[in-house]
Amino acid sequence: MVALDQPPGTVPDTTFPGAPGSMKPVLDWLTKGGGELPEADEWMGGDTPAFSTSTLLSGDGDSAEHEGPPAPLILLSSLDYQYDTPGLWELGEVNQRVSSCPCVETVQGSLLIPVHVEREVQLRGRNLWLFQDGPRSSECVLELGSREVAVEAQVECAPPPDVWCHIKCQQHQFSYEALKPELQVGLFLRWAGGLRVDSADGLHVVLYDCSVGHGDCSRCQTAMPQYDCVWCEGERPRCVAREACNEAETVATQCPAPLIHSVDPLTGPIDGGTRVTIRGSNLGQHVQDVLDMVRVAGVPCAVDAGEYDVSSSLVCITGASGEEVTGTVAVEVPGRGHGVSEFSFAYQDPKVHSIFPARGPRAGGTRLTLHGSKLLTGRLEDIRVVVGDQPCHLLLEQQSEQLHCETGPYPVPAELPVTVLFGATERRLQHGQFKYTSDPNVTSVGPSKSFFSGGREIWVRGQDLDVVQRPRIRVTVVPRQHGQGLAQKQHVVPEKFEEPCLVNSSHLLMCRTPALPGPPWDSGVQVEFILDNMVFDFAALSPTPFSYEADPTLRSLNPEDPSTPFRHKPGSVFSVEGENLDLAMSKEEVVAMIGDGPCVVKTLTRNHLYCEPPVEQPLPHPHALREAPDALPEFTVQMGNLRFSLGHVQYDGESPVAFPVAAQVGLGVGTSLLALGVIIIVLIYRRKSKQALRDYKKVQIQLENLESSVRDRCKKEFTDLMTEMTDLTSDLLGSGIPFLDYKVYAERVFFPGYRESPLHRDLGVPDSRRPTVEQGLGQLSNLLNSKLFLTKFIHTLESQRTFSARDRAYVASLLTVALHGKLEYFTDILRTLLSDLVAQYVAKNPKLMLRRTETVVEKLLTNWMSICLYTFVRDSVGEPLYMLFRGIKHQVDKGPVDSVTGKAKYTLNDNRLLREDVEYRPLTLNALLAVGPGAGEAQCVPVKVLDCDTISQAKEKMLDQLYKGVPLAQRPDSCTLDVEWRSGVAGHLILSDEDVTSELQGLWRRLNTLQHYKVPDGATVALVPCLTKHILRENQDYVPGERTPMLEDVDEGGIRPWHLVKPSDEPEPPRPRRGSLRGGERERAKAIPEIYLTRLLSMKGTLQKFVDDLFQVILSTSRPVPLAVKYFFDLLDEQAQQHGISDQDTIHIWKTNSLPLRFWINIIKNPQFVFDVQTSDNMDAVLLVIAQTFMDACTLADHKLGRDSPINKLLYARDIPRYKQMVERYYADIRQTVPASDQEMNSVLAELSRNCSADLGARVALHELYKYINKYYDQIITALEEDGTAQKMQLGYRLQQIAAAVENKVTDL
């Protein structure tokens, strides 16, 4: 090594080895004495940073690119060196020196290297003899981002003078983590573990991964050819380089059929034009593969070539279907089959039915609600609403039946059409337009002060204020800035506080001031009124700026001990002390209450409040009364949002006086007399006991004597029973079953107690107002379609004290008529209300639910069951029920019936049992009709009567036979006909219940019977028109089935009528006749009338078959159970499960109260609901016993019967256990059947709505409903305003519009 101490600029006069003219090899000058190259550490000076071999060997160590210490110079001592100032040395020509440096020039072969494949990389370089045979290892290094991959390299060089060398990088599987189809990777050669050989600029290879971006076969086959990607089929199909597909796997030559993963949207208008995005795999390799190959719901869909993504997605534009149709999406690729989506696409025909509100200010900001069907058809981003040509900006919450948007401004007031655009398809509102009205204008506001706690009512006056949907008051608090320093100039965010306002009328808004969190002593307050898109500043409307004042304070009535009640002396006023009371409040705005009674504020000053209390002590507030029934009323004061509780109040009564001495003496004397009386009573009791024992022995002897007579009576009644059990069935089947049509059936079930439906009348409004009223009722019908309004309406009515049980049932029937055409919606309302009812009873006693008709939902359930089971009644239950009815009528008419008391010999009800031995004999009269056309040629009809029948009773039996098969409405009224007894040619006698021949016994007149007139068996009688005028009662409600017997009223002369038994303690015995009781037996019968109870057994045995047949049809599951029953029973089971009710007895009671009690009992007791028949009191009494038996069979309680049990229950005591088994089996069979889905039930309800579409008077029903709305108008409006959702839907506003239309009066609009 030679130091370089020559002056700069000198050049050594020797030649550098390897330069032109040098005889030494280029490597000899670098070797040591031993022929080895020096170590790298010796070259680089130990810890000197590494540098490239080319830098070392080319002499560029002082290059400016190196910032470390200068590179060591490797020089030989036998050489002389000369220096030139910027260069280190110059040996020959520069080009010769550079060409001698080792360098990697290029990559031999393809630059593409697939991942996960063993691949050898070959490079070409020059001057690499140094790396060829040395002991040091060489390696190829690939720069993969932040990491390096090194593989062993082998260098082979041609002998000099050829400078080119070949480098082979060992085979290796390369990979990278980036999700790119290819990755350019830098490449260089490294030697001796740290020396990097220079490479040509941009020397690199390209790694590529076939699986990236080629997730299916079609994409794989469309990869660039130079990649040589194939779809490798096997356990895990994938796209790889051809070499990566091993022998166990096969290369796919044909791609599978298309697979559709998603379709968006799934709906579109029938007009077509919807852009449908289909995503999947193997959707073709070119757009030509799928052109004209896509069908949506069977309709061709044109593919948009510009938005085709190979194999994975395509966009097509639907064609027009012409009608609503639903189907799958299919994509076919020629030669590969076709793919079908799992999702169905529906062509829909959206409709816009109505909008609300129908007007709004031209400044915009009105939230418009569009009602319709299928409004979310197509892509959501393609749905637009325009009013005229102005867009209505859609809001976030949208529904299939409702769209919500906010109108934009419009320059002038106008009525414009409303259109909904579904892409290229539009639907316009056909009936009605949106009206842009003049903007609201505010003219004055006040008052101008409020407490910090807020709640003071600000009145905003102006014009057209009712067109505002969401009026609000906004208070902005901005801190004042007093200085100009840096701290004061910082940005301060103002606080805003808002409260909604109430639209009182078109000229008045009422806004309550919002509360501020703290006194803004150092802040400014700005008050604004936000009327949709318009803002009005308080400062511009009032000469006095608005200000907030300190909150008032009030002291307790008893400041020393607030817990002690305040003793109030009636006649005085309350005086309350406080502070700041009148700063921002007037006395009219202060509300003072003592319990539930008002304390009228008379004076309000800065520090005092004076109010006048009620004269008598009011009751506590209802919630306080519930918590403590003996609580005292509390004195409260409400000032805006502040409520002060100032203690309890107790009114002072009269002070108690001292108990006088005289009274004390009297009390002592009275006590002594009481003790004496007790002693006397004990002595008398002992004497009476002995007498009672003697009487008992006498009665015992009498009972033994009566036993034989009772046995005789039972034998006689049993003989009558066997005689009466004849073939009644053939008589009953003689005439058909007179079913009522559905309209009459529904009216009688919905409105029992009326001769005809109360809806069979006109609206009762003048013709000039009829269109307006009908329009208002139409709006009410639409409002009832809001589930929220309807439930709020019902709950509000039920919470009113004056809303009676009769009103509840009436309103329920009115709602049933109004919603009869929408039974699906009616059922949904019923489910919601029933769920609320279950929650209410679960908290109390769930077994009491549906026991009575105390709520609207219970009557709704009765009506719903009646509608759903009408077909089942006609087809199945009608025949056995009619047979039972005819059997009862036949039996009752066969025995005597007292026309005055209504008691009969043959009955099941002991209260209606005729407990007398009345003599009678049957007669057969030849009756003819002497009225109407053809009366002269009328044929005689045999009629069976009893000689003890009154003339009116006989007349009714004649009408039944003469008009058999004729509807009741077409029969003449019996009051307009007389009975004429005809004997011979001239013998005509008019028969009547009362005439001059009637028997008089004191104050009693006996009604005339056939026996009274001595009418013989086989006599001819005729029904002729009345000669005297009968005055009919008017305005009398008709209760179906009730035919009240003659009242025991005293006539003008004080004479009372009687028929079979005179109501007297000592009845006058009738004349003895054949078969009558002996005198002694009659007296015993009077003493013990229970001996006639055997007649009940006679009646029961006669009707047993008909009762069994009826119960069997109702409780049988051999035929399909009505779907409504299964659906409702499943609903009850579901409700029980939701509320954690596992007690099966409770569920059994619910089912019993909903079906047997609520429907079948009603039908059994009132056959006139189903048939065109006329009942009587006696028949109703019999049906009542049968209905009670059916109810007892459905209950779970075991009735312990004894001597004191009711006769009616004893009558069927042995049959009820058998009926109970039928009921339990019926409930169990229904539970095990397949559940009824909502879809099946809705289908049945829709069919019922179509088939039972008779007009029941829906318009009048709506008018009747409005009367209840008018009666409880304020309560309903309050309930709607307290509900946030109802406010958003503007239900209160819509109700106000209806009130304006129906009542023709100025409302709060």
Side-chain angles (χ1 to χ4, degrees):
M1 304 291 286
V2 179
L4 302 178
D5 53 358
Q6 286 86 355
T10 61
V11 179
D13 39 349
T14 58
T15 59
F16 190 78
S22 173
M23 300 301 294
K24 294 183 179 182
V26 78
L27 293 178
D28 290 347
W29 68 285
L30 289 174
T31 59
K32 294 183 178 180
E36 295 181 356
L37 287 171
E39 292 292 339
D41 289 343
E42 297 179 22
W43 282 2
M44 300 187 300
D47 56 354
T48 306
F51 47 89
S52 68
T53 309
S54 59
T55 304
L56 174 66
L57 298 181
S58 62
D60 295 338
D62 60 346
S63 172
E65 295 177 0
H66 300 280
E67 298 178 356
L73 301 180
I74 308 173
L75 305 177
L76 297 179
S77 60
S78 60
L79 299 177
D80 295 329
Y81 298 96
Q82 294 181 357
Y83 294 90
D84 202 359
T85 297
L88 183 62
W89 59 67
E90 293 183 4
L91 300 174
E93 298 178 358
V94 175
N95 290 338
Q96 179 67 25
R97 181 183 63 186
V98 173
S99 63
S100 300
C101 296
C103 180
V104 180
E105 294 286 348
T106 61
V107 177
Q108 289 187 314
S110 174
L111 296 177
L112 296 175
I113 301 176
V115 298
H116 306 303
V117 175
E118 295 279 351
R119 181 62 65 91
E120 180 185 79
V121 180
Q122 296 187 2
L123 306 176
R124 187 173 183 231
R126 53 186 174 84
N127 301 326
L128 301 176
W129 300 287
L130 180 64
F131 312 106
Q132 182 176 214
D133 299 322
R136 303 282 183 172
S137 62
S138 301
E139 55 187 8
C140 297
V141 181
L142 278 74
E143 298 175 312
L144 292 175
S146 59
R147 65 186 180 94
E148 295 180 347
V149 176
V151 297
E152 184 179 346
Q154 182 180 358
V155 181
E156 297 179 359
C157 296
D162 192 351
V163 298
W164 295 104
C165 300
H166 297 281
I167 304 104
K168 291 184 179 180
C169 302
Q170 186 179 6
Q171 287 189 351
H172 185 76
Q173 288 189 8
F174 297 99
S175 64
Y176 57 89
E177 297 179 354
L179 293 177
K180 298 180 180 179
E182 62 178 28
L183 181 66
Q184 183 172 309
V185 179
L187 177 65
F188 66 89
L189 185 65
R190 187 163 61 196
W191 176 68
L195 295 176
R196 173 173 176 169
V197 179
D198 281 352
S199 303
D201 291 338
L203 182 66
H204 69 277
V205 293
V206 177
L207 301 182
Y208 68 91
D209 188 351
C210 289
S211 64
V212 177
H214 307 127
D216 57 35
C217 177
S218 298
R219 277 182 169 268
C220 189
Q221 291 188 356
T222 57
M224 289 187 292
Q226 59 267 32
Y227 287 164
D228 196 19
C229 296
V230 297
W231 185 254
C232 190
E233 295 181 337
E235 184 178 352
R236 188 171 62 88
R238 64 200 184 281
C239 184
V240 296
R242 187 177 295 275
E243 299 102 300
C245 195
N246 55 46
E247 297 179 355
E249 300 173 319
T250 59
V251 176
T253 59
Q254 180 74 26
C255 288
L259 183 64
I260 299 176
H261 297 155
S262 66
V263 177
D264 181 49
L266 291 175
T267 60
I270 60 177
D271 311 75
T274 304
R275 299 180 66 83
V276 180
T277 301
I278 304 173
R279 294 182 176 85
S281 58
N282 294 314
L283 300 179
Q285 299 180 4
H286 307 283
V287 68
Q288 290 77 12
D289 294 344
V290 293
L291 286 176
D292 302 326
M293 293 297 176
V294 181
R295 302 185 74 84
V296 175
V299 179
C301 191
V303 176
D304 186 349
E307 295 196 35
Y308 175 75
D309 192 1
V310 174
S311 178
S312 63
S313 70
L314 60 88
V315 176
C316 68
I317 303 171
T318 60
S321 66
E323 61 180 358
E324 291 189 343
V325 63
T326 301
T328 57
V329 177
V331 177
E332 183 179 359
V333 176
R336 298 186 187 176
H338 65 278
V340 180
S341 67
E342 296 180 357
F343 317 100
S344 294
F345 183 93
Y347 275 99
Q348 300 181 162
D349 187 10
K351 300 288 187 182
V352 183
H353 299 151
S354 62
I355 60 172
F356 182 82
R359 60 174 183 164
R362 63 181 184 86
T366 303
R367 291 194 175 183
L368 201 60
T369 300
L370 292 86
H371 297 274
S373 59
K374 303 174 182 176
L375 297 179
L376 297 183
T377 298
R379 304 165 70 97
L380 291 181
E381 55 268 26
D382 291 342
I383 300 177
R384 294 180 296 122
V385 180
V386 293
V387 179
D389 57 355
Q390 295 295 319
C392 188
H393 306 287
L394 287 175
L395 304 177
L396 293 179
E397 298 179 0
Q398 306 297 340
Q399 301 175 12
S400 177
E401 297 180 353
Q402 287 185 357
L403 292 180
H404 304 277
C405 66
E406 187 171 299
T407 60
Y410 201 74
V412 294
E415 290 191 16
L416 302 174
V418 179
T419 306
V420 182
L421 300 175
F422 304 90
T425 301
E426 68 175 39
R427 292 290 186 271
R428 178 171 293 186
L429 176 65
Q430 298 297 328
H431 306 289
Q433 294 181 325
F434 181 80
K435 181 179 181 181
Y436 274 107
T437 65
S438 300
D439 286 336
N441 182 38
V442 178
T443 56
S444 64
V445 293
S448 59
K449 289 184 179 182
S450 172
F451 293 124
F452 293 138
S453 56
R456 190 176 193 189
E457 199 169 71
I458 307 298
W459 287 26
V460 182
R461 301 183 183 275
Q463 295 86 31
D464 299 322
L465 300 180
D466 56 340
V467 300
V468 181
Q469 269 189 322
R470 294 171 291 114
R472 292 163 292 154
I473 179 174
R474 181 169 65 196
V475 177
T476 306
V477 180
V478 182
R480 295 190 179 94
Q481 298 182 4
H482 299 287
Q484 298 299 326
L486 179 61
Q488 283 76 14
K489 293 183 179 180
Q490 294 179 352
H491 179 66
V492 178
V493 179
E495 293 185 89
K496 298 181 183 294
F497 305 92
E498 291 188 359
E499 287 290 337
C501 299
L502 175 65
V503 179
N504 183 273
S505 66
S506 62
H507 302 287
L508 178 62
L509 298 178
M510 293 185 292
C511 306
R512 292 192 175 273
T513 57
L516 300 186
W521 300 114
D522 201 26
S523 303
V525 176
Q526 180 184 11
V527 178
E528 297 171 310
F529 300 97
I530 314 299
L531 308 185
D532 290 343
N533 278 5
M534 304 184 67
V535 180
F536 293 89
D537 193 345
F538 187 98
L541 300 169
S542 173
T544 306
F546 196 89
S547 63
Y548 271 84
E549 304 294 340
D551 283 343
T553 59
L554 285 172
R555 297 182 181 88
S556 175
L557 293 174
N558 278 334
E560 298 81 7
D561 187 6
S563 61
T564 303
F566 176 74
R567 304 300 293 254
H568 169 66
K569 295 182 179 180
S572 61
V573 298
F574 275 34
S575 174
V576 185
E577 295 183 354
E579 297 178 357
N580 304 326
L581 300 183
D582 64 346
L583 283 182
M585 189 73 65
S586 64
K587 67 177 183 178
E588 290 78 14
E589 299 172 86
V590 179
V591 178
M593 300 289 292
I594 302 176
D596 61 355
C599 187
V600 182
V601 179
K602 296 295 184 180
T603 305
L604 183 68
T605 65
R606 185 65 49 89
N607 302 107
H608 287 87
L609 181 148
Y610 299 95
C611 71
E612 183 179 350
V615 177
E616 297 180 355
Q617 178 172 314
L619 293 175
H621 197 272
H623 71 82
L625 195 60
R626 288 193 297 268
E627 296 175 359
D630 56 349
L632 293 173
E634 185 180 17
F635 180 54
T636 59
V637 177
Q638 187 85 28
M639 302 183 73
N641 287 341
L642 291 176
R643 185 176 185 273
F644 299 95
S645 297
L646 304 180
H648 292 83
V649 178
Q650 182 175 7
Y651 278 49
D652 283 341
E654 295 182 359
S655 58
V657 296
F659 198 62
V661 177
Q664 297 179 13
V665 174
L667 180 61
V669 174
T671 305
S672 302
L673 293 175
L674 180 62
L676 181 61
V678 170
I679 295 173
I680 296 173
I681 291 174
V682 171
L683 295 175
I684 296 175
Y685 173 76
R686 292 186 60 185
R687 182 179 179 184
K688 291 293 184 182
S689 298
K690 294 179 181 179
Q691 181 67 31
L693 182 60
R694 290 192 295 268
D695 295 342
Y696 170 73
K697 293 180 179 180
K698 293 181 180 179
V699 171
Q700 190 175 16
I701 296 173
Q702 294 177 358
L703 289 176
E704 291 176 355
N705 295 332
L706 287 175
E707 185 177 354
S708 59
S709 65
V710 172
R711 270 199 305 269
D712 294 341
R713 168 60 60 185
C714 291
K715 290 181 180 179
K716 182 179 183 301
E717 293 298 333
F718 182 75
T719 304
D720 293 342
L721 172 62
M722 293 298 100
T723 305
E724 291 160 2
M725 290 298 292
T726 57
D727 189 7
L728 182 62
T729 305
S730 59
D731 294 339
L732 299 183
L733 294 177
S735 58
I737 301 178
F739 282 110
L740 294 174
D741 60 12
Y742 175 77
K743 179 180 179 182
V744 181
Y745 161 80
E747 289 173 348
R748 293 191 177 183
V749 173
F750 295 167
F751 304 102
Y754 293 88
R755 182 178 298 274
E756 62 180 9
S757 171
L759 305 183
H760 287 182
R761 58 172 179 264
D762 192 64
L763 290 179
V765 296
D767 294 339
S768 60
R769 291 202 59 246
R770 181 178 294 274
T772 305
V773 173
E774 291 184 349
Q775 181 183 3
L777 295 179
Q779 294 175 358
L780 177 58
S781 177
N782 294 334
L783 187 57
L784 291 179
N785 292 333
S786 170
K787 184 176 181 181
L788 177 60
F789 172 81
L790 188 51
T791 54
K792 283 286 183 185
F793 169 64
I794 293 174
H795 290 323
T796 302
L797 291 187
E798 290 182 334
S799 65
Q800 308 305 314
R801 294 182 179 179
T802 58
F803 191 62
S804 64
R806 182 183 179 91
D807 291 332
R808 297 168 198 262
Y810 189 55
V811 167
S813 295
L814 294 177
L815 288 174
T816 306
V817 173
L819 302 177
H820 194 275
K822 295 165 280 191
L823 290 180
E824 301 97 322
Y825 173 63
F826 179 79
T827 305
D828 185 31
I829 293 296
L830 178 64
R831 285 179 61 107
T832 302
L833 295 176
L834 185 67
S835 178
D836 297 340
L837 188 68
V838 171
Q840 176 184 348
Y841 274 93
V842 165
K844 299 185 296 185
N845 187 351
K847 292 186 178 181
L848 298 180
M849 190 181 75
L850 299 175
R851 194 171 182 178
R852 298 182 179 87
T853 305
E854 296 177 343
T855 60
V856 173
V857 64
E858 290 170 315
K859 179 59 177 175
L860 288 176
L861 174 58
T862 302
N863 297 344
W864 184 81
M865 282 290 185
S866 304
I867 295 171
C868 296
L869 298 183
Y870 172 71
T871 304
F872 181 70
V873 170
R874 278 191 66 105
D875 298 344
S876 302
V877 183
E879 181 178 346
L881 179 60
Y882 186 68
M883 295 285 283
L884 175 62
F885 169 79
R886 288 293 305 272
I888 295 172
K889 182 175 176 58
H890 182 273
Q891 286 301 106
V892 171
D893 290 346
K894 202 169 71 169
V897 178
D898 194 301
S899 179
V900 176
T901 63
K903 295 184 178 182
K905 178 180 180 180
Y906 295 112
T907 181
L908 290 178
N909 196 320
D910 65 321
N911 293 326
R912 288 283 180 175
L913 178 62
L914 182 63
R915 304 185 188 221
E916 297 288 343
D917 187 28
V918 178
E919 295 297 331
Y920 66 95
R921 63 188 182 91
L923 301 176
T924 301
L925 304 181
N926 296 316
L928 56 88
L929 190 63
V931 294
E937 296 83 14
Q939 298 293 328
C940 290
V941 176
V943 179
K944 293 182 179 181
V945 296
L946 303 177
D947 65 346
C948 64
D949 286 342
T950 65
I951 307 303
S952 297
Q953 290 176 333
K955 189 194 309 181
E956 292 291 344
K957 293 179 180 179
M958 295 177 198
L959 286 174
D960 286 342
Q961 292 298 322
L962 291 171
Y963 286 92
K964 183 182 296 185
V966 178
L968 289 178
Q970 300 178 12
R971 299 185 184 183
D973 191 347
S974 61
C975 298
T976 63
L977 300 175
D978 278 337
V979 178
E980 184 181 66
W981 176 19
R982 297 182 177 181
S983 178
V985 179
H988 291 191
L989 176 63
I990 298 296
L991 310 181
S992 63
D993 289 339
E994 296 182 13
D995 57 15
V996 294
T997 66
S998 299
E999 296 182 20
L1000 287 174
Q1001 299 176 1
L1003 295 178
W1004 296 93
R1005 174 189 287 123
R1006 186 170 187 178
L1007 299 181
N1008 297 335
T1009 62
L1010 296 177
Q1011 178 190 353
H1012 170 75
Y1013 287 107
K1014 303 293 191 294
V1015 177
D1017 188 19
T1020 301
V1021 292
L1023 295 180
V1024 298
C1026 287
L1027 299 179
T1028 59
K1029 184 178 181 181
H1030 293 267
I1031 301 176
L1032 300 178
R1033 297 180 181 177
E1034 296 181 355
N1035 301 327
Q1036 180 180 1
D1037 285 343
Y1038 167 70
V1039 180
E1042 287 196 6
R1043 299 185 60 209
T1044 307
M1046 293 186 179
L1047 300 178
E1048 300 180 7
D1049 294 337
V1050 180
D1051 59 15
E1052 295 179 357
I1055 304 299
R1056 299 178 181 179
W1058 68 284
H1059 178 203
L1060 299 178
V1061 179
K1062 184 168 61 173
S1064 174
D1065 295 335
E1066 296 180 358
E1068 191 173 305
R1071 292 185 298 273
R1073 296 181 57 184
R1074 179 176 55 87
S1076 64
L1077 292 175
R1078 294 184 297 273
E1081 293 175 347
R1082 184 181 307 280
E1083 293 301 325
R1084 286 196 293 272
K1086 288 294 182 182
I1088 307 178
E1090 282 73 15
I1091 63 173
Y1092 295 106
L1093 293 178
T1094 52
R1095 294 175 178 176
L1096 303 179
L1097 291 173
S1098 172
M1099 186 71 168
K1100 174 181 178 295
T1102 306
L1103 301 177
Q1104 187 66 51
K1105 177 180 181 301
F1106 303 109
V1107 174
D1108 288 345
D1109 291 346
L1110 176 62
F1111 287 6
Q1112 182 64 36
V1113 171
I1114 294 176
L1115 300 174
S1116 173
T1117 56
S1118 59
R1119 65 186 73 192
V1121 178
L1123 187 65
V1125 175
K1126 171 62 178 172
Y1127 177 81
F1128 192 78
F1129 279 15
D1130 288 349
L1131 175 61
L1132 293 178
D1133 292 336
E1134 176 186 342
Q1135 288 292 325
Q1137 183 178 4
Q1138 288 181 1
H1139 291 85
I1141 296 178
S1142 58
D1143 182 15
Q1144 292 300 319
D1145 290 353
T1146 300
I1147 302 175
H1148 183 101
I1149 292 173
W1150 287 1
K1151 294 177 180 179
T1152 296
N1153 291 345
S1154 61
L1155 180 62
L1157 174 64
R1158 199 152 297 280
F1159 178 72
W1160 289 124
I1161 297 298
N1162 200 25
I1163 294 299
I1164 294 174
K1165 288 169 53 180
N1166 300 281
Q1168 69 276 7
F1169 287 177
V1170 182
F1171 311 117
D1172 185 23
V1173 295
Q1174 190 171 1
T1175 63
S1176 64
D1177 283 350
N1178 297 288
M1179 296 183 64
D1180 290 344
V1182 175
L1183 291 171
L1184 180 63
V1185 174
I1186 297 175
Q1188 183 61 47
T1189 302
F1190 186 77
M1191 194 63 212
D1192 291 341
C1194 296
T1195 58
L1196 292 172
D1198 292 330
H1199 300 284
K1200 295 182 180 180
L1201 302 178
R1203 295 176 60 184
D1204 298 330
S1205 299
I1207 301 299
N1208 298 337
K1209 292 186 179 295
L1210 291 172
L1211 200 59
Y1212 282 94
R1214 294 186 178 181
D1215 302 289
I1216 287 179
R1218 176 167 55 91
Y1219 295 151
K1220 280 182 178 289
Q1221 294 178 358
M1222 295 171 59
V1223 174
E1224 293 173 357
R1225 185 168 58 251
Y1226 178 68
Y1227 287 174
D1229 291 347
I1230 292 178
R1231 189 183 302 109
Q1232 295 174 1
T1233 56
V1234 179
S1237 64
D1238 291 338
Q1239 183 177 3
E1240 293 175 334
M1241 192 65 213
N1242 287 336
S1243 176
V1244 171
L1245 293 171
E1247 184 178 358
L1248 284 174
S1249 297
R1250 291 191 300 270
N1251 297 339
C1252 305
S1253 58
D1255 183 15
L1256 300 175
R1259 189 71 67 184
V1260 181
L1262 290 171
H1263 196 252
E1264 291 292 309
L1265 280 174
Y1266 179 77
K1267 293 180 181 178
Y1268 285 94
I1269 294 176
N1270 184 40
K1271 182 176 181 180
Y1272 303 107
Y1273 181 79
D1274 294 337
Q1275 294 87 337
I1276 297 173
I1277 289 292
T1278 302
L1280 295 176
E1281 290 176 349
E1282 291 176 352
D1283 189 278
T1285 305
Q1287 287 185 346
K1288 293 180 181 178
M1289 299 174 65
Q1290 293 192 332
L1291 298 181
Y1293 175 77
R1294 295 171 63 184
L1295 186 59
Q1296 291 174 349
Q1297 286 186 320
I1298 294 170
V1302 176
E1303 295 188 49
N1304 192 26
K1305 68 179 183 180
V1306 178
T1307 64
D1308 294 340
L1309 294 178

